[in-house]
Amino acid sequence: MPAPRVLEPEPMLSYGEDQSYLVIEGDNLQVMVSLQSQYNDSVDVVYIDPPYNRGGNDFRYSDTRYRDPDADAADAVYITNEDGGRHTKWLNYMAPRLVTTHRLMADHGVIFVSINDIELGRLLMLMDEVFDESNRIGIIAWKGSSDNNPSRIAIEHEYIVTCG
C-alpha cells in the first residue's frame, strides 16, 4: 500500500456548513489510504466505477507495486501476477482498493461497484472474500443502449454489485 499523505482541503470544491462533503482529486488508492486515519469505519455509501477489463493484454492500470505488507501467500485476496494474465492484473488492481474501501466503511455502510460481464464473476469472488459472502445484497442489471442486432446475444448490459 502507498504511504498516507496529508490531504489539503479545497474549500471552493467542498460544500456543506462544516465543509464535510469533500471533493478530492488524486490516485484513488493513495487518497483512500490517506483518508483512513480520519474516516476509518465511518463511510456510509461507496460507489466505485473501476476501469473495465475489455480484453487483450493492454490493461493500463497495473498496480503491482502496491502490496499489503500484512498479506501473505495464503491470502486469497492478493493474487500473484506471475503469469501476467489480464484477469490477474485487473484483480491485483481491484483487491487493495476494495480492502481499503472496506476499512473506510461503517458497519451499516453499503458499496456499489459497476462492472461489465468480463470481470463480473471475478469481482463477485473478490467482493465475497473482502466483504464476506453473507453481506452480498445483490446484483443490479443495468441496461444500456441497445445495439438492435437480433442475430446476437444482447450485450448492452452492465452490472452493479452491491454489498452491505
Side-chain angles (χ1 to χ4, degrees), residues 62-92:
S62 182
D63 263 357
T64 57
R65 65 181 186 246
Y66 296 137
R67 292 283 182 247
D68 185 341
D70 299 324
D72 60 22
D75 192 341
V77 173
Y78 295 92
I79 300 164
T80 65
N81 199 22
E82 292 173 3
D83 68 353
R86 72 178 207 245
H87 301 297
T88 303
K89 288 180 181 180
W90 188 85
L91 286 167
N92 278 331

Side-chain angles (χ1 to χ4, degrees), residues 9-127:
E10 178 57 58
M12 296 295 290
L13 297 176
S14 303
Y15 63 98
E17 285 184 28
D18 58 356
Q19 298 282 306
S20 59
Y21 297 94
L22 306 173
V23 174
I24 301 170
E25 183 180 352
D27 173 75
N28 55 20
L29 183 58
Q30 177 70 62
V31 168
M32 288 190 299
V33 168
S34 299
L35 289 172
Q36 282 184 332
S37 65
Q38 194 171 2
Y39 294 100
N40 249 17
D41 302 320
S42 64
V43 175
D44 294 328
V45 179
V46 175
Y47 173 72
I48 298 176
D49 188 10
Y52 288 1
N53 188 357
R54 300 203 183 271
N57 291 322
D58 59 347
F59 186 67
R60 299 179 314 171
Y61 299 92
S62 182
D63 263 357
T64 57
R65 65 181 186 246
Y66 296 137
R67 292 283 182 247
D68 185 341
D70 299 324
D72 60 22
D75 192 341
V77 173
Y78 295 92
I79 300 164
T80 65
N81 199 22
E82 292 173 3
D83 68 353
R86 72 178 207 245
H87 301 297
T88 303
K89 288 180 181 180
W90 188 85
L91 286 167
N92 278 331
Y93 173 84
M94 288 301 297
R97 285 158 176 79
L98 289 175
V99 169
T100 305
T101 299
H102 187 253
R103 291 177 186 152
L104 290 170
M105 288 175 59
D107 287 340
H108 62 273
V110 64
I111 183 171
F112 300 89
V113 182
S114 291
I115 197 67
N116 63 2
D117 60 333
I118 294 173
E119 296 294 354
L120 176 62
R122 290 170 194 83
L123 176 64
L124 287 170
M125 289 188 286
L126 182 59
M127 289 184 70

